[in-house]
Amino acid sequence: MNKKLITNFLVMLLVLFAFIPFGVSADAASNDVTRADYVKELVESLDVEIGDGSSLAFKDVSKDLAPYVEKAVQLKLIKGKTATTFGPDDKLTRQQAFVISARGLVSENASLTVLEQFKDADQIAAAYKQDLANAVAANILQAFEDNTIRPRDYVTKEQMESILERFVAEYKAPSTGVSVNLQILGTTDIHTNLANYNYYLDAPSSELGLANTATLIEQARAKNPNTLLFDNGDLIQGTPLGSYKALESVLKPGEVHPAIAALNALKYDGGTLGNHEFNYGLDFLDEVLNDAKYPVVNANTYDAKTKERMFTPYVILDKEVVDSSGKKHTLKVGVTGIVPTKIVEWDAIHLAGKVEMQEPVEAVKEVVPEMQKAGADVIVVLSHSGIGEDTYVKGAENVGYQLAEIDGIDALITGHSHLTFPGDYKDLKDVDQEKGTIHGVPTVMAGSYGSHLGVIDLKLEQQGSEWVVVDGKGSLQSIKQEGLQPSTTVLEAIKEAHDGTLSYIRQPVGETTAPIHSYFSMVQDDPSIQIVTQAQKWFIEQELKGTADEKTPILSAGAPFKAGSRNNPLDYTNIPVGPLAIKNMADIYHYDNTVATIKVTGAQAIEWLEMAAGIFATIDPTKSEEQNIIDAEARSYNFDVLDGLTYQIDVTSPAKYDRRGNLTDEKANRIKNVQYNGKPIDLKQEFIIITNNYRVGGSYGATFKNADGSNITNYAYENRQAVVDYIMANKTINPAADNNWSFVPFPANTKVIYLSAKDAQKFIPAGSGIEYLEDTEAGFAKYLIK
């Protein structure tokens, strides 16, 4: 915000420095300015509202100074010396000021020979020479009358007052009166939910679908024609429609993928790639993208052989807008995007040796200045990465919070986590839920499956020949609106693929003699997991015949993919006794994962289970009030059951690993009484665990990967296809849970609670000890687990 005004301020600052009268040395002055002096004077001069300083990461700032430093950081006027130190008592030298200026104004390096004209050039710090040469070439740095530049002199208080007086006059200068309200719309994680249709229920739905979101898009455009529309990735995978076009009626050259057809029809202005865009390989992705009538950007994916970026890192869009007086202008909008680096592990079968990744934060830091140099008035980042934590760890999957800290970004569209913003992430510092900003940057995360539309409203003012973003807000619109009708634009664009998908999912594959549901899959052994682990074992046993591992014990891992995930009371599997169709298979195994195996020891198998048990909260045996057994932030797909072993889980014990698989208590032990073939497990015996590419490629299963990967085998065969083939081979199946795991009995006085769907009360197994208590908010119900 007001970045160009700040640049003007730096120019004034440096010009003033260049004309300090000859013979007056800042070194000799008794009133040198410290960083603390300067920041407090600056913020007070701007007459802006300050906070309490609580979001500040610097550890060396006093409580009294913190609100001023906090505001200066929010306004992007200053940075710290490091992430945690500000250096409030440090004095500001001329060379430091010129470095700031040169890096903000100069894009090409000048020859160092330009410094030779100054008598005291040898006093310039080696690390600063290039920046000062750039400043000279830009005519920013000029010599005193004695042909010196005095790089190590300090700024005095008198000079500071003059600087601030000029700066404030410029900062508060009235604009030309010309302003533009630019609206940026964002969708994310559509996952081929294009129609307003639930393929698993084989019924229309008002709860999901780009066709529903498109109606909100059309309404938003009608209110403000100064609108840009972007998609944030995870577009081509996720429902039977996605599988149909990738694996059944495979996309042909020249054929437009239905997801691309829908976005083309809605006239999207741009998009980026999500991790699931890579699920079907690079050739398929190329075939999908070559029909897009909008640019697709990604800045952090590289060709492993050429070391060149694989996709267009950014674009500059010329957007015609109408100002407040009705006059037309053209704004230059820079757009870039990123994807998690873990795609090379998650989809190693497709990407190993072909793709290399750059850290998203570093990639965006590189391309933002390039977009600025190209004349961007507004910069938008499409981040297929969750907002994450306020502490940055290299290699982190979710870095939206850190991206918002990068200078130059005006709007941030995030996703990947299937959460919402504004809404979620209330506990992070420097987050304004009401205004929808992170570190002052308007930000949106529009849920998943088309559930929301992200809306960023930016106000730009024309200041001279420049456009400056002076305000911004992020908000969400939900498709759950009375009377909302799906867009015919989308439905017509995808009609052929939609109809083909319906025929595909209705194909029969066999029958089940037991119901398959996931209502209690987190608290007892479950049929929706049992069928998966049975099918995986059936497939791998065939693959291992005649190999050295034919007799190696097999453990089959399965997790509940649909268990009310992310606060969705409709997200459960429920298949009655009787015929099974393809649509049921997609309901049982929700993702297009591929089969992978990993060889481990018995001790490692126990650790695998300890990690899985991290999804449970710790039950206090001394409390008699209700305690929820599930960690509220846990994801059901991280709860692996290992069929082939019998064991118990003690949730009164502290968790050894947190819900992400990070070691938190080395001495903790939740997994009890582990047996194989009715005997205590041999900790040194080798086992083969059957799992999927995501588990061995980045989530906690990767913990057990050998350095050379020699204990992992990836198969070009989907886990879901294993279920289909298993049922077709057996015709009739019995997926009833074998109850290979259970909880260690809870203390008698405890009230352990589990949330599931309201309808789950109809499916409480006899003798399970589960008791329905009452309905709760948001469509769930409360159950007592005994």
Side-chain angles (χ1 to χ4, degrees):
M1 184 168 129
N2 284 314
K3 299 178 191 70
K4 297 184 176 83
L5 288 179
I6 295 166
T7 298
N8 292 337
F9 156 68
L10 289 172
V11 175
M12 290 189 297
L13 178 150
L14 297 168
V15 169
L16 182 61
F17 282 177
F19 288 97
I20 296 175
F22 174 69
V24 177
S25 170
D27 280 327
S30 61
N31 57 351
D32 296 333
V33 173
T34 66
R35 288 163 62 86
D37 295 333
Y38 174 70
V39 168
K40 186 173 182 181
E41 285 278 343
L42 174 60
V43 172
E44 287 182 338
S45 299
L46 293 177
D47 193 25
V48 292
E49 184 177 348
I50 61 175
D52 60 6
S54 61
S55 72
L56 207 58
F58 304 137
K59 306 298 185 185
D60 57 349
V61 175
S62 68
K63 186 176 181 180
D64 292 340
L65 179 62
Y68 300 95
V69 176
E70 178 184 58
K71 177 56 66 174
V73 170
Q74 290 172 352
L75 295 176
K76 302 188 186 300
L77 298 175
I78 61 163
K79 290 183 177 180
K81 298 176 68 175
T82 70
T84 57
T85 60
F86 174 64
D89 298 325
D90 292 355
K91 299 175 183 178
L92 185 69
T93 67
R94 282 168 50 80
Q95 65 181 347
Q96 290 168 344
F98 289 128
V99 166
I100 295 170
S101 175
R103 291 178 180 173
L105 299 176
V106 180
S107 57
E108 296 183 4
N109 285 335
S111 171
L112 295 179
T113 59
V114 299
L115 298 175
E116 296 175 0
Q117 60 184 293
F118 305 122
K119 290 181 180 179
D120 54 355
D122 59 340
Q123 296 182 26
I124 302 171
Y128 295 157
K129 284 188 176 181
Q130 184 61 69
D131 292 299
L132 265 64
N134 293 346
V136 173
N139 202 32
I140 299 169
L141 172 56
Q142 300 174 355
F144 292 101
E145 294 177 2
D146 64 348
N147 206 32
T148 62
I149 54 174
R150 305 172 194 172
R152 300 184 181 183
D153 282 8
Y154 297 117
V155 182
T156 67
K157 291 182 179 178
E158 290 81 3
Q159 294 163 12
M160 178 183 68
E161 290 173 0
S162 298
I163 293 167
L164 293 182
E165 182 178 352
R166 295 188 182 193
F167 173 56
V168 172
E170 179 70 18
Y171 189 88
K172 294 184 176 180
S175 70
T176 60
V178 177
S179 64
V180 165
N181 292 319
L182 179 65
Q183 180 176 243
I184 298 171
L185 306 178
T187 55
T188 191
D189 295 274
I190 297 297
H191 285 287
T192 59
N193 286 280
L194 305 173
N196 57 316
Y197 203 87
N198 187 321
Y199 293 108
Y200 307 116
L201 299 178
D202 199 359
S205 174
S206 61
E207 304 282 333
L208 51 77
L210 181 62
N212 285 324
T213 327
T215 299
L216 300 180
I217 293 170
E218 292 161 0
Q219 293 172 354
R221 282 172 164 167
K223 292 179 180 178
N224 184 356
N226 299 334
T227 295
L228 289 164
L229 172 63
F230 300 106
D231 182 72
N232 197 46
D234 274 8
L235 177 68
I236 67 172
Q237 174 277 343
T239 69
L241 184 148
S243 302
Y244 174 69
K245 292 313 300 177
L247 306 169
E248 181 71 12
S249 177
V250 181
L251 192 69
K252 301 178 180 64
E255 179 185 359
V256 182
H257 192 283
I260 300 299
L263 269 60
N264 285 344
L266 290 172
K267 294 181 169 49
Y268 270 68
D269 294 287
T272 194
L273 303 171
N275 51 292
H276 286 289
E277 261 65 70
F278 296 88
N279 286 171
Y280 307 118
L282 295 172
D283 290 342
F284 183 83
L285 179 56
D286 288 343
E287 184 58 43
V288 170
L289 297 181
N290 64 19
D291 294 306
K293 294 181 180 179
Y294 55 89
V296 177
V297 292
N298 172 274
N300 72 318
T301 306
Y302 283 76
D303 187 303
K305 294 181 180 179
T306 67
K307 308 302 180 184
E308 299 291 331
R309 285 190 173 103
M310 297 189 71
F311 305 97
T312 303
Y314 68 88
V315 292
I316 304 294
L317 303 176
D318 289 328
K319 174 62 178 177
E320 185 177 83
V321 294
V322 179
D323 68 21
S324 51
S325 66
K327 185 179 179 181
K328 292 182 179 180
H329 305 270
T330 298
L331 293 177
K332 290 188 175 296
V333 180
V335 186
T336 189
I338 57 90
V339 69
T341 61
K342 292 183 182 293
I343 61 168
V344 293
E345 299 173 5
W346 293 333
D347 278 304
I349 196 168
H350 297 304
L351 306 183
K354 299 178 182 179
V355 172
E356 292 179 353
M357 302 301 296
Q358 182 182 18
E359 290 294 321
V361 174
E362 298 308 314
V364 174
K365 282 182 178 178
E366 283 186 12
V367 298
V368 165
E370 293 179 27
M371 289 188 283
Q372 291 173 325
K373 181 182 176 183
D377 299 300
V378 177
I379 291 179
V380 180
V381 174
L382 308 178
S383 167
H384 193 83
S385 175
I387 290 171
E389 308 288 343
D390 53 12
T391 300
Y392 177 60
V393 178
K394 186 177 181 181
E397 182 179 342
N398 299 308
V399 295
Y401 187 83
Q402 285 72 36
L403 291 175
E405 293 180 299
I406 297 173
D407 286 340
I409 297 176
D410 297 298
L412 178 62
I413 296 175
T414 64
H416 182 59
S417 296
H418 292 203
L419 299 175
T420 58
F421 186 85
D424 294 304
Y425 305 99
K426 292 182 173 66
D427 295 333
L428 292 177
K429 295 181 180 179
D430 206 15
V431 167
D432 188 332
Q433 290 282 343
E434 184 175 346
K435 199 169 184 181
T437 62
I438 300 176
H439 304 305
V441 176
T443 302
V444 291
M445 180 186 284
S448 60
Y449 309 158
S451 63
H452 294 79
L453 175 66
V455 182
I456 293 176
D457 292 300
L458 299 180
K459 181 179 181 181
L460 290 87
E461 289 184 353
Q462 192 175 40
Q463 297 171 358
S465 60
E466 306 282 357
W467 286 97
V468 177
V469 177
V470 296
D471 198 9
K473 180 179 181 179
S475 61
L476 295 180
Q477 294 181 15
S478 171
I479 63 173
K480 294 181 180 179
Q481 297 182 18
E482 186 176 353
L484 186 142
Q485 296 297 312
S487 166
T488 56
T489 300
V490 172
L491 296 179
E492 290 172 1
I494 66 167
K495 185 179 187 307
E496 183 178 348
H498 174 66
D499 290 344
T501 301
L502 293 180
S503 297
Y504 167 62
I505 66 172
R506 291 166 181 168
Q507 295 177 29
V509 294
E511 291 191 4
T512 176
T513 60
I516 304 172
H517 65 78
S518 62
Y519 290 124
F520 302 104
S521 55
M522 306 280 279
V523 292
Q524 65 175 23
D525 200 20
D526 178 78
S528 70
I529 298 174
Q530 192 75 49
I531 181 61
V532 172
T533 58
Q534 287 176 354
Q536 290 175 167
K537 186 172 184 287
W538 170 82
F539 168 69
I540 290 298
E541 284 177 339
Q542 297 177 77
E543 292 293 312
L544 295 182
K545 284 181 179 179
T547 72
D549 283 318
E550 181 176 5
K551 295 184 179 180
T552 303
I554 292 174
L555 308 177
S556 190
F561 291 142
K562 301 186 71 177
S565 301
R566 297 182 171 98
N567 298 317
N568 182 356
L570 301 178
D571 190 40
Y572 292 92
T573 297
N574 181 16
I575 303 168
V577 171
L580 293 170
I582 294 291
K583 63 183 178 183
N584 303 128
M585 303 304 100
D587 200 15
I588 291 169
Y589 205 102
H590 194 51
Y591 300 101
D592 294 333
N593 293 342
T594 54
V595 176
T597 63
I598 181 168
K599 187 177 289 187
V600 301
T601 65
Q604 289 174 319
I606 293 175
E607 287 302 293
W608 191 294
L609 293 173
E610 289 285 2
M611 288 183 174
I615 64 106
F616 296 112
T618 300
I619 299 300
D620 186 341
T622 67
K623 289 185 178 180
S624 58
E625 60 264 32
E626 292 181 353
Q627 299 180 69
N628 195 329
I629 194 170
I630 304 297
D631 181 330
E633 297 299 321
R635 295 287 178 257
S636 64
Y637 53 69
N638 281 330
F639 178 50
D640 271 355
V641 171
L642 286 187
D643 268 321
L645 299 177
T646 60
Y647 55 96
Q648 291 182 300
I649 302 174
D650 183 2
V651 291
T652 64
S653 168
K656 187 171 186 177
Y657 297 86
D658 68 14
R659 61 182 182 272
R660 296 185 178 88
N662 300 311
L663 183 64
T664 57
D665 188 343
E666 189 172 1
K667 296 181 179 180
N669 170 220
R670 283 185 162 179
I671 304 302
K672 310 289 186 181
N673 306 320
V674 183
Q675 295 188 347
Y676 173 69
N677 281 346
K679 297 179 180 179
I681 189 171
D682 183 343
L683 299 183
K684 295 182 179 180
Q685 182 175 356
E686 284 191 332
F687 293 87
I688 289 175
I689 294 179
I690 313 169
T691 181
N692 60 66
N693 59 308
Y694 264 66
R695 184 64 85 224
V696 300
S699 54
Y700 60 71
T703 303
F704 309 108
K705 178 180 178 180
N706 292 345
D708 60 359
S710 57
N711 63 331
I712 287 178
T713 302
N714 283 290
Y715 295 85
Y717 181 74
E718 288 190 320
N719 300 71
R720 183 167 56 221
Q721 192 61 43
V723 179
V724 173
D725 292 345
Y726 172 71
I727 295 173
M728 294 185 73
N730 290 277
K731 306 300 183 184
T732 300
I733 61 161
N734 178 10
D738 60 10
N739 298 313
N740 70 303
W741 76 271
S742 62
F743 291 115
V744 172
F746 308 136
N749 64 321
T750 56
K751 293 182 180 178
V752 180
I753 302 303
Y754 175 65
L755 296 181
S756 188
K758 293 179 181 179
D759 285 347
Q761 59 188 291
K762 304 173 185 176
F763 300 91
I764 296 176
S768 65
I770 297 174
E771 178 185 338
Y772 166 78
L773 295 179
E774 62 182 357
D775 290 350
T776 68
E777 296 180 356
F780 287 93
K782 186 188 298 183
Y783 297 85
L784 180 66
I785 310 298
K786 299 178 182 178

